[in-house]
Amino acid sequence: MFLTNHFLLAMPDLATDYFGQSLTYICEHDENGALGLIINRPTTTSVSDFVADLGFAADEQLRHHLLLEGGPMAPHQGFVLHTSEGLHSDDYALRVTADISLSTSTDCLSELSRGRFPRHFMVALGYVGWGPGQLEQELERTLWLTTAADPAVLFETPYADKLQVAGASLGIDIRLMARPGTA
């Protein structure tokens, strides 16, 4: 069972962990491991300020997009998760689905800075990664719930609501789940 294009919802056992209350989008999962981005942890830095720090003159609309804390691995590496239309072909992009790609290319950030926006995008620093079999072991220990990713949750739902809305797709209210030692 590979979980590319799925959400991982942190279970209460992770409440005191780095991943507590996180919603992770899995960009790639195969026999070699998994890679994802936490999609509900905005920083206070705008994408405009981020691309300006990289030396690009930023389009004013980027001020309305916050940089995300994508995960603890490679915390200084930028990742652009975006719908596939609107950006030039990126030979280095990971095609997650027919409509969603992940890029680490500065060319992608350059295009964003010039106002060449895909319909939906988010920019994150860092990622979440698992080695071969590691995510499967965590799933067996019920550290995560999984559900198929919904593009509306991914790109249109406010950050503060993403985890709750993803949980509702499973028929649960994530806010009512007991934390360890509190049930």
Side-chain angles (χ1 to χ4, degrees):
M1 171 180 75
F2 295 123
L3 297 172
T4 298
N5 194 40
H6 278 70
F7 291 135
L8 294 182
L9 294 77
M11 290 295 289
D13 283 348
L14 294 172
T16 59
D17 188 91
Y18 175 87
F19 296 102
Q21 296 293 303
S22 68
L23 181 63
T24 301
Y25 177 69
I26 300 298
C27 302
E28 184 175 43
H29 183 208
D30 60 23
E31 63 279 352
N32 298 312
L35 177 142
L37 297 175
I38 297 173
I39 61 165
N40 66 332
R41 285 209 183 132
T43 67
T44 57
T45 303
S46 72
V47 173
S48 177
D49 290 342
F50 174 66
V51 297
D53 286 347
L54 295 174
F56 299 116
D59 184 281
E60 186 59 33
Q61 291 182 39
L62 291 177
R63 293 218 169 277
H64 304 289
H65 294 271
L66 292 176
L67 189 63
L68 294 173
E69 180 183 335
M73 301 179 86
H76 302 293
Q77 172 71 49
F79 294 83
V80 182
L81 187 65
H82 59 87
T83 49
S84 298
E85 80 293 326
L87 292 176
H88 288 94
S89 174
D90 183 350
D91 294 335
Y92 300 104
L94 170 66
R95 181 74 102 190
V96 180
T97 71
D99 301 321
I100 299 173
S101 295
L102 178 68
S103 178
T104 60
S105 167
T106 55
D107 291 341
C108 186
L109 291 171
S110 175
E111 286 193 43
L112 289 176
S113 74
R114 292 191 307 260
R116 295 184 183 150
F117 304 130
R119 190 167 125 214
H120 297 292
F121 69 92
M122 59 180 63
V123 180
L125 284 180
Y127 71 96
V128 182
W130 293 266
Q134 184 181 2
L135 179 55
E136 292 82 353
Q137 290 172 359
E138 290 181 11
L139 290 167
E140 286 175 11
R141 293 175 37 217
T142 63
L143 296 178
W144 305 98
L145 290 176
T146 65
T147 187
D150 178 345
V153 174
L154 184 60
F155 291 114
E156 299 172 21
T157 302
Y159 299 118
D161 299 332
K162 287 181 187 291
L163 181 61
Q164 180 64 26
V165 173
S169 75
L170 294 168
I172 62 169
D173 185 338
I174 202 87
R175 297 170 299 184
L176 300 178
M177 296 185 77
R179 304 219 187 308
T182 62

